[in-house]
Amino acid sequence: MAEFPYCLILSSCLAWFVFLVAIELSLAESTGYGFMIDLIHRDSPKSPSYNPSARLVDRHLHALRRSLSRIKHLRRRTNRPSWRSSKKDVQSELSPAGGEYYMEIALGTPPLPTLGIADTGSDLTWTQCKPCRPCYPQDPPIFDPKRSLTYNLVPCRSDACHMLGNNGFCSQERTCQYNYGYGDGSVSKGDLATESITLGLNSSLPVTVPGVPVGCGHNNTGIFDSKGSGIIGLGGGPLSLISHMDHLIQGKFSYCLVPFTTPNATSKINFGECAILSGEGVASTPLIRKSPGTFYYITLESISLGTKNLPPKISNAKDLSSLANEVGNMIVDSGTTYNFIPTELYKPFESALLKVIQTPQVQVPEMGLCFNTTTDLAAPPVILQLTGANLLLKSANIFTRLSDDAVCLTIFPTRDVPILGNFGQADFEVGFDLEKRTVSFKPTDCTGSS
Ligand SMILES: *[C@@H]1O[C@H](CO)[C@@H](O)[C@H](O)[C@H]1NC(C)=O
Ligand SMILES: *[C@@H]1O[C@H](CO)[C@@H](O)[C@H](O)[C@H]1NC(C)=O
Ligand SMILES: *[C@@H]1O[C@H](CO)[C@@H](O)[C@H](O)[C@H]1NC(C)=O
Ligand SMILES: *[C@@H]1O[C@H](CO)[C@@H](O)[C@H](O)[C@H]1NC(C)=O
């Protein structure tokens, strides 16, 4: 922490530190300041969804199914050709419980604390609102807009309403409504409003962001996650919480995800000054502008095993439409556990890997490439060659132990949406700078134990 004298840590146990830093805040404000809050993995003991009896192999399988469901959702939203013919206007295939991390925010004035799913793949933050007919069961108290002094409905003729696109419509009172349908049949419908969102409510220096577009869901049906209330939109689009904190955080946020193997450690998300990566080992790659602006697109040019480049970039004119050749062909996502690379890159990668790994394979239903071993696999490092940055992935980014004798690859092929997922990002500080339009990676022990 010493590196960031102006970072405020918004967690009650560290309030002491916050108090000390507060003295410097007036100085810091002229240069901007930052703050940090917890990201709680859904399977960690701190999560309300924690199931202590879940076996590791089941956790992996559930995470894989969520990753695959999320890919379908992202694919639909990126309008990849295979979906262009689809007439269904469905916002997502994602089961609404599909994100991986909860984050605590407080809504309104006075602020009502609630847990939401922190989602870099969504822009609009939404929550269940009173009265709702029907509501899905929810453990935290339901937000009552009548009790908040800062809740304001948004007129139809407003930029925010237009930004909803097909997901927005107009009520008889000419106020803006949103309607999100998910692929599994779940629906959240209600008023588009602006509301204050407070981060770090329990700390001595909470940060309140006024006027954030929020979906107030009065009609919510389907398989939503009862532990939280809706979604916290951390995407790059203009409706997101990130965009509305712009003045405060200068377009900068970062997170540090702890590895799957240390579920008791807590991942962190940083904003503003805290999210500036510096020092040795920082590798930066451009953020590519593509539709929808929600997603954080980067370009995966190639992948290599050790120093061996695999394969040479596909340059056959016939293959120009190939995902492997597309600028902005990969999404950095905090809500997908596994990693996905274009099939054209995956195949030569897999054969090269099989040449160097002598360990026998083992079939694990649903999983990809797995090996039968009780010890660590001897495999060379994998380098993701991103534009302008070589991302050196360690064994823990690439392999995961499912059981005493099975270790599986965390990388899968896809013809839809390549994703750098949680496994690939673990133990990196991943910093987004929406002003400079870059994503940076710095190798870091995210458990903070060294
Ligand atoms: C904040 O305080 C409330 C009430 O004491 C508690 O339920 C909640 O877990 C706390 N949140 C954090 C992030 O510590
Ligand atoms: C809630 O939405 C569902 C699905 O769109 C609809 O059938 C139902 O009538 C709505 N309920 C209310 C009270 O508007
Ligand atoms: C994590 O914490 C739980 C109790 O909350 C404990 O039972 C478990 O052994 C811990 N796991 C690790 C890997 O330290
Ligand atoms: C893994 O290999 C051992 C022998 O080395 C064998 O006994 C065991 O059944 C294998 N496990 C699986 C799941 O195939």
Side-chain angles (χ1 to χ4, degrees):
M1 290 318 305
E3 284 173 62
F4 304 117
Y6 303 134
C7 286
L8 308 183
I9 300 163
L10 297 185
S11 120
S12 46
C13 61
L14 290 168
W16 241 102
F17 181 80
V18 171
F19 174 74
L20 294 176
V21 174
I23 300 162
E24 294 183 65
L25 183 62
S26 51
L27 180 91
E29 263 175 347
S30 55
T31 57
Y33 72 105
F35 48 93
M36 173 196 276
I37 52 185
D38 289 351
L39 280 178
I40 304 158
H41 194 274
R42 52 187 304 138
D43 295 331
S44 80
K46 283 186 187 156
S47 157
S49 307
Y50 180 56
N51 174 2
S53 59
R55 293 184 310 151
L56 192 58
V57 58
D58 294 328
R59 276 183 53 200
H60 277 96
L61 284 178
H62 290 149
L64 178 60
R65 287 183 200 140
R66 289 195 301 269
S67 293
L68 293 171
S69 143
R70 190 164 171 92
I71 281 218
K72 284 193 198 163
H73 151 66
L74 300 177
R75 167 175 67 182
R76 203 177 273 258
R77 293 205 49 211
T78 54
N79 273 325
R80 290 211 60 81
S82 49
W83 288 86
R84 269 184 203 140
S85 56
S86 163
K87 288 208 180 69
K88 269 163 81 191
D89 178 31
V90 173
Q91 201 254 349
S92 99
E93 281 279 334
L94 176 71
S95 141
E100 297 296 303
Y101 293 90
Y102 294 109
M103 186 175 135
E104 192 177 73
I105 60 171
L107 270 177
T109 314
L112 179 78
T114 189
L115 273 187
I117 287 179
D119 188 3
T120 49
S122 295
D123 288 331
L124 185 68
T125 298
W126 68 261
T127 187
Q128 291 205 100
C129 277
K130 284 184 187 170
C132 45
R133 288 185 213 94
C135 303
Y136 61 88
Q138 170 184 319
D139 297 351
I142 294 178
F143 180 68
D144 184 354
K146 285 208 178 67
R147 296 201 169 183
S148 173
L149 298 172
T150 40
Y151 180 87
N152 288 299
L153 291 173
V154 168
C156 293
R157 300 182 61 144
S158 63
D159 289 346
C161 198
H162 286 139
M163 285 168 197
L164 281 175
N166 290 340
N167 298 115
F169 63 102
C170 212
S171 72
Q172 280 172 352
E173 295 80 33
R174 310 295 301 161
T175 59
C176 186
Q177 312 273 292
Y178 78 97
N179 182 358
Y180 278 169
Y182 294 85
D184 64 356
S186 304
V187 174
S188 176
K189 272 200 301 206
D191 295 316
L192 184 68
T194 55
E195 182 54 289
S196 294
I197 290 186
T198 301
L199 301 173
L201 184 64
N202 293 0
S203 77
S204 57
L205 273 178
V207 174
T208 298
V209 191
V212 184
V214 168
C216 199
H218 291 293
N219 180 341
N220 314 288
T221 48
I223 329 160
F224 289 96
D225 180 357
S226 68
K227 304 302 174 187
S229 180
I231 298 283
I232 300 171
L234 302 180
L239 283 172
S240 85
L241 176 60
I242 296 291
S243 300
H244 278 265
M245 291 201 288
D246 214 31
H247 56 293
L248 205 63
I249 63 173
Q250 279 113 45
K252 292 172 190 53
F253 74 101
S254 71
Y255 49 71
C256 208
L257 306 178
V258 304
F260 217 72
T261 46
T262 52
N264 288 0
T266 305
S267 301
K268 306 280 184 198
I269 182 165
N270 303 295
F271 298 95
E273 293 275 296
C274 295
I276 297 174
L277 273 57
S278 60
E280 240 176 82
V282 178
S284 297
T285 190
L287 266 177
I288 307 298
R289 282 186 203 280
K290 262 177 113 166
S291 175
T294 312
F295 301 142
Y296 298 110
Y297 291 100
I298 58 174
T299 307
L300 174 66
E301 296 185 344
S302 188
I303 181 167
S304 58
L305 198 58
T307 53
K308 204 165 141 241
N309 211 9
L310 314 154
K313 262 206 101 197
I314 301 160
S315 52
N316 189 331
K318 231 175 21 213
D319 284 320
L320 277 180
S321 62
S322 151
L323 254 184
N325 276 332
E326 221 172 278
V327 173
N329 60 358
M330 185 176 237
I331 290 172
V332 183
D333 185 31
S334 66
T336 308
T337 302
Y338 286 86
N339 305 301
F340 295 85
I341 65 174
T343 308
E344 301 93 318
L345 295 180
Y346 179 84
K347 282 187 179 153
F349 167 69
E350 188 189 85
S351 15
L353 201 59
L354 288 174
K355 278 191 196 127
V356 292
I357 296 180
Q358 303 302 323
T359 312
Q361 288 185 47
V362 56
Q363 296 296 322
V364 179
E366 296 181 56
M367 294 300 293
L369 193 58
C370 298
F371 299 93
N372 180 349
T373 176
T374 54
T375 57
D376 285 347
L377 280 177
V382 168
I383 296 170
L384 291 188
Q385 303 187 334
L386 308 173
T387 303
N390 282 341
L391 196 61
L392 178 72
L393 299 181
K394 291 188 224 133
S395 188
N397 298 115
I398 307 156
F399 296 106
T400 182
R401 178 166 293 284
L402 259 67
S403 61
D404 289 344
D405 58 3
V407 166
C408 298
L409 189 65
T410 65
I411 303 176
F412 288 76
T414 180
R415 295 188 187 280
D416 294 317
V417 189
I419 295 176
L420 184 61
N422 300 168
F423 273 119
Q425 298 176 72
D427 274 349
F428 283 99
E429 180 84 33
V430 183
F432 298 80
D433 188 329
L434 307 187
E435 283 186 352
K436 286 195 195 142
R437 302 290 307 165
T438 57
V439 190
S440 305
F441 301 87
K442 182 180 185 178
T444 303
D445 176 359
C446 294
T447 65
S449 65
S450 70

